[in-house]
Amino acid sequence: MCDQLIQNAKDYIAVLFEGCSDGHDAEHSLRVYANAMKIAETEPGCNLEVVALAALLHDADDHKLFDTKDNYNARTFLADNGIGGGKTDFICSIINSVSFSRNRGRVPASLEGKIVQDADRLDAMGAVGIARTFAYGGKHGRPLEGGIEHFHEKLLLLRDEMNTETGRKMAESRHEFMGEFLEHFNSETSVE
Ligand code: NI
């Protein structure tokens, strides 16, 4: 895997997400990349470069942030960095299979897609998932209770939807921590 290519992707998303503050920012993509690399270490059959690029670029055309079509931002970066059409299509198909809301219950076809989906979902769990939930809610005018609902609608379901063995292991403590958080939140907000 080419270190310069990965650095270029990191630099590209740093510029792309400048000013984003609702949990979908460059730091999120860097954490997804780190999670994905950790999982990929335990999946010897996977293409590391594809996993790395798909993880770093997975939100580059997120419809909540960008008004692009056909993975325009991801494709622009990949073309500028000499990645061929076949590999670019593969990376974009992975990116498009990762989103939770658009792929409810659907498992990505490739091993690389399974890894990146797990990596993205892990970043919606645990302490960082809690922080992101309320950062997003605050920016979009959602009351705290709306954030709590989001745990029940999405975040608490993720543990049982992990694709890889390592993803499942990494999800365990994050899931437990969210449960503890909710217990505390409920006890502090319940009026006797
Ligand atoms: Ni994401």
Side-chain angles (χ1 to χ4, degrees):
M1 191 164 70
C2 170
D3 289 345
Q4 187 60 52
L5 176 61
I6 301 308
Q7 189 55 49
N8 290 351
K10 290 178 181 174
D11 294 345
Y12 180 72
I13 58 169
V15 174
L16 199 61
F17 290 102
E18 223 168 358
C20 291
S21 58
D22 66 353
H24 287 89
D25 49 17
E27 277 67 35
H28 161 62
S29 294
L30 291 175
R31 287 190 303 268
V32 171
Y33 164 70
N35 289 341
M37 290 295 103
K38 211 169 174 181
I39 298 170
E41 276 174 26
T42 63
E43 299 288 343
C46 74
N47 182 323
L48 276 182
E49 189 174 274
V50 166
V51 170
L53 291 172
L56 285 167
L57 297 169
H58 83 278
D59 273 345
D61 294 280
D62 187 300
H63 65 100
K64 292 189 285 298
L65 301 171
F66 306 105
D67 191 21
T68 53
K69 284 200 172 71
D70 193 27
N71 304 94
Y72 177 82
N73 289 334
R75 285 182 186 280
T76 301
F77 171 82
L78 294 168
D80 288 349
N81 283 271
I83 304 294
K87 201 181 236 182
T88 291
D89 286 342
F90 185 33
I91 290 168
C92 290
S93 78
I94 291 171
I95 290 172
N96 297 338
S97 71
V98 164
S99 156
F100 181 86
S101 52
R102 289 185 170 185
N103 295 285
R104 194 72 190 82
R106 247 183 287 162
V107 177
S110 65
L111 173 59
E112 290 80 0
K114 292 184 172 105
I115 292 170
V116 178
Q117 187 178 65
D118 279 3
D120 190 36
R121 289 177 172 182
L122 283 167
D123 205 55
M125 302 178 72
V128 76
I130 295 168
R132 289 180 68 215
T133 297
F134 295 108
Y136 184 86
K139 188 171 180 190
H140 297 275
R142 181 172 69 186
L144 290 185
E145 286 67 27
I148 297 299
E149 271 172 40
H150 186 63
F151 283 87
H152 296 286
E153 287 164 1
K154 173 180 171 183
L155 308 187
L156 294 172
L157 311 177
L158 295 175
R159 178 187 60 177
D160 296 329
E161 299 195 2
M162 289 289 148
N163 305 303
T164 65
E165 194 49 48
T166 304
R168 249 187 303 281
K169 277 189 201 138
M170 290 168 76
E172 205 53 57
S173 65
R174 294 177 191 227
H175 183 86
E176 261 171 47
F177 187 70
M178 290 191 295
E180 273 170 50
F181 168 79
L182 286 176
E183 264 173 43
H184 281 261
F185 189 93
N186 290 339
S187 79
E188 290 169 21
T189 53
S190 63
V191 182
E192 290 296 307

